[in-house]
Amino acid sequence: MSIDISRRQFARSAAAASLSALLPRGVFAQSPAPQKVLIRADSEIGTVRPEFHSHFAEHLGSCVYGGLWVGKKSPIPNEDGYRKAALDYLKELGIPVLRWPGGCFADDYHWRDGIGPVEKRPKRVNIHWGGYVEDNSFGVHEFIGLCRKIGAEPYLAGNVGSGTPEELRDWVEYCNFPSGSTLSDERAANGSPEPFKVRYWGVGNENWGCGGPMTPERYGDLYKNFTNYMRTFSEPRLFLVACGPNGNDMRWSRGLLNTLTGGAPQARLPQGWSMHFYEGGSKPSTQFTVDAMNEQFRIFPRVEQALIQQRALLDSYDPQRRCGIVLDEWGVWDAIPREDEKRYGRLWQQSTMRSAVAAGLGLNIFNRQADKLYMANIAQMVNVLQSILLTDGPEGRNCVRTSTYYAFLLFKPHRAKTAVRVETGSTDPLGLSVSASRSGSELVVSFVNPSDKNNLEVDCELRGATARQGRAELLHHPDLNAYNGFDNPNTIVPKPHEVAVEGARVRVAVPALSVITAILQVA
Ligand code: AHR
């Protein structure tokens, strides 16, 4: 991570003076001294896997029903039952992987309930999320259909808590066996002759909590039992994700790894190690105070520490890193007013300028820890927690792209590039956060300023590269509680931003509460 560079001398050259002349004065005028940043373009960390920008959709509130899925007969513009505006926005952003159907819902979900003629599907009570009657009109075919439309790779969360090894084994066969077995023929009869080719399978969800509650030893035994019957029937090979810790719970992790390996290192290790780490908030989303915001932002260093420490523990069992960390639930979880939930659905939460900054802090961590992370799925895609899209309730026609959507859009240029090291000289959780990635002649740098008041002039030194030109985009609003409402959907949208480039120096104004991505042409 960052190291102290306060003693580093940055040349005060004539070039610097000419650079200053290029920069917008309004912001810099308030800044006492430039913030120094060293971008080590020649010091590689690892690939920024596009999967770091993955998502999660649960049968919860109005995420699926009334959010992504409005039904084929809905007056809301739709494509085969999927909300048309949502499809368009999701395609524009690009969704690498989508996890479904939960969350807690997954361990009470029986996949056969969601196949076959819709009118014959059973009605079940969603015991985790408000006891509404789930009609199962959105099942596995509808989910795979959504993934195909938006170009996402599906990630199915299997039921360990209340299901059986047989049920999960059959779900894999139903989805992935090409043809000729009773289950694969049933899939074909239900409209999908081609196998779904689902690679990612979660073996339970939060089995220390809503998917249990179990001890790590009991879950570990069940993991071995369930996965013993899961087979790769067609390419791609199955990627099985075990339920790792809540946050950075080392007790769970050690207990599970010991149970899985049984003293034989690497035997029975999963391909993926699920972690969940929410960043709780003490205020309703649009009523945050600066103190409450800072308290929430201070959680992010703990997320980074959890990734580092869990990876180190995994390394002691799995030095070749065949088991990857899958942070398949993260994001801000604010205090949610009951009235909002009644109106819009359970866990419906507005996304503000603060939320966008939080997204940027998380995505910067993923770049910095690119060698330790395999996938991350923000919770959740629509209308639940830190959503990228919001609709005004289950019947709502409106669909807006939230501030978090735009933060993700700003990080999109990092995808598939190689993360490189950055030094800011500070480890202050409320100080400037920076990450960078490179591919060939393109260097992408993201700056996140979580301060509510410190406008920064950032003076970057490039090491191992010189820049010819650059452009940048800024996501910013001075009000931490500002958001993209249904009447004002463009309150927080990216805008072109000036970046001054000269050889090994790059200067940019980074206002308080902002996310900026600069794309530099380098040699
Ligand atoms: O995302 C909401 C809930 O948070 C999920 O269902 C569960 O896995 C987690 O506790």
Side-chain angles (χ1 to χ4, degrees):
M1 227 178 37
S2 310
I3 63 161
D4 187 355
I5 57 164
S6 56
R7 283 164 289 139
R8 191 175 301 285
Q9 296 301 308
F10 282 75
R12 289 268 168 215
S13 62
S18 67
L19 282 166
S20 303
L22 287 171
L23 290 162
R25 301 308 310 162
V27 168
F28 281 6
Q30 303 163 37
S31 181
Q35 160 107 36
K36 308 291 189 186
V37 169
L38 176 65
I39 299 171
R40 297 170 57 191
D42 52 357
S43 181
E44 297 184 351
I45 301 170
T47 303
V48 179
R49 294 175 52 81
E51 290 82 354
F52 295 175
H53 299 181
S54 294
H55 292 262
F56 168 38
E58 179 167 11
H59 287 229
L60 194 183
S62 52
C63 179
V64 173
Y65 300 111
L68 291 159
W69 178 254
V70 294
K72 295 177 185 167
K73 295 184 188 140
S74 172
I76 297 170
N78 70 86
E79 202 180 292
D80 303 328
Y82 307 100
R83 184 186 286 271
K84 176 81 173 70
L87 291 181
D88 292 344
Y89 294 150
L90 296 173
K91 278 191 265 189
E92 176 193 341
L93 179 59
I95 305 297
V97 176
L98 179 57
R99 176 175 181 252
W100 175 87
C104 296
F105 181 79
D107 281 286
D108 190 40
Y109 180 66
H110 300 281
W111 66 271
R112 292 203 67 93
D113 291 350
I115 59 168
V118 174
E119 57 290 355
K120 290 197 177 146
R121 296 185 191 175
K123 295 185 169 47
R124 308 280 185 208
V125 179
N126 185 335
I127 57 167
H128 286 293
W129 301 115
Y132 74 89
V133 175
E134 156 75 53
D135 70 3
N136 282 300
S137 53
F138 191 94
V140 67
H141 288 257
E142 288 77 17
F143 172 65
I144 297 291
L146 171 64
C147 290
R148 300 286 185 257
K149 279 184 189 287
I150 60 176
E153 185 151 9
Y155 171 3
L156 293 176
N159 179 345
V160 170
S162 70
T164 63
E166 179 191 19
E167 183 184 20
L168 189 50
R169 172 238 174 271
D170 283 357
W171 201 10
V172 177
E173 183 181 325
Y174 182 87
C175 290
N176 289 359
F177 196 72
S179 66
S181 75
T182 300
L183 284 167
S184 59
D185 290 352
E186 188 179 6
R187 181 196 67 235
N190 285 333
S192 301
E194 286 300 312
F196 294 149
K197 298 190 174 180
V198 179
R199 177 207 308 260
Y200 298 115
W201 292 85
V203 184
N205 169 78
E206 296 195 354
N207 302 94
W208 33 260
C210 64
M214 301 181 197
T215 61
E217 291 76 22
R218 173 162 160 70
Y219 171 72
D221 281 339
L222 285 176
Y223 176 90
K224 288 192 271 191
N225 183 216
F226 274 61
T227 55
N228 191 45
Y229 303 98
M230 296 172 78
R231 291 284 184 280
T232 294
F233 292 116
S234 54
E235 288 302 313
R237 285 193 68 74
L238 294 194
F239 186 103
L240 305 179
V241 183
C243 170
N246 181 16
N248 193 15
D249 181 357
M250 283 291 176
R251 193 195 59 84
W252 173 273
S253 299
R254 284 202 191 91
L256 179 54
L257 285 165
N258 288 339
T259 309
L260 293 180
T261 58
Q266 296 188 27
R268 299 248 183 223
L269 274 181
Q271 286 74 41
W273 184 252
S274 161
M275 291 173 65
H276 289 183
F277 209 133
Y278 284 99
E279 294 74 42
S282 57
K283 300 278 182 203
S285 305
T286 56
Q287 295 165 38
F288 261 65
T289 58
V290 169
D291 283 350
M293 174 178 79
N294 291 345
E295 194 188 341
Q296 188 170 54
F297 289 166
R298 281 195 190 95
I299 299 173
F300 281 96
R302 300 201 332 247
V303 178
E304 189 155 17
Q305 188 184 46
L307 294 176
I308 294 168
Q309 292 182 347
Q310 291 287 324
R311 186 64 259 173
L313 178 68
L314 283 168
D315 284 354
S316 65
Y317 291 79
D318 171 36
Q320 276 127 24
R321 295 196 171 172
R322 283 184 286 214
C323 174
I325 291 181
V326 176
L327 181 64
D328 52 21
E329 291 187 31
W330 73 280
V332 294
W333 189 322
D334 306 332
I336 301 180
R338 197 70 200 109
E339 315 84 72
D340 283 1
E341 290 199 299
K342 277 196 191 132
R343 185 164 173 199
Y344 299 123
R346 289 297 296 272
L347 303 193
W348 191 96
Q349 180 178 290
Q350 188 50 262
S351 178
T352 63
M353 190 59 228
R354 167 192 51 83
S355 321
V357 168
L361 291 174
L363 295 171
N364 264 352
I365 289 174
F366 305 160
N367 286 353
R368 287 200 294 265
Q369 304 303 334
D371 55 336
K372 304 180 188 69
L373 187 64
Y374 188 90
M375 188 194 304
N377 308 62
I378 194 162
Q380 298 191 10
M381 187 176 245
V382 184
N383 287 340
V384 170
L385 300 176
Q386 195 172 355
S387 319
I388 54 168
L389 301 178
L390 282 177
T391 71
D392 44 350
E395 311 301 329
R397 278 180 172 265
N398 284 305
C399 181
V400 298
R401 285 166 284 187
T402 67
S403 58
T404 296
Y405 177 101
Y406 289 113
F408 270 73
L409 198 60
L410 253 58
F411 274 76
K412 194 173 172 182
H414 287 288
R415 292 185 194 172
K417 291 193 169 57
T418 303
V420 296
R421 292 191 168 74
V422 174
E423 298 171 10
T424 63
S426 161
T427 51
D428 177 0
L430 305 178
L432 179 71
S433 160
V434 189
S435 77
S437 65
R438 182 181 185 175
S439 174
S441 60
E442 205 166 81
L443 179 68
V444 181
V445 189
S446 287
F447 304 88
V448 180
N449 185 352
S451 165
D452 67 300
K453 56 180 180 300
N454 297 336
N455 296 315
L456 299 173
E457 176 185 353
V458 177
D459 185 348
C460 303
E461 177 193 339
L462 301 188
R463 185 179 293 168
T466 50
R468 287 194 306 270
Q469 57 184 26
R471 62 191 167 84
E473 292 216 64
L474 163 77
L475 193 63
H476 166 63
H477 199 288
D479 177 1
L480 63 99
N481 289 318
Y483 59 88
N484 291 340
F486 300 116
D487 299 327
N488 51 332
N490 297 320
T491 303
I492 304 171
V493 292
K495 300 203 171 80
H497 190 59
E498 215 162 331
V499 54
V501 173
E502 205 168 282
R505 289 189 74 195
V506 175
R507 299 183 75 199
V508 61
V510 184
L513 295 174
S514 71
V515 180
I516 293 174
T517 290
I519 301 182
L520 311 170
Q521 296 307 314
V522 296

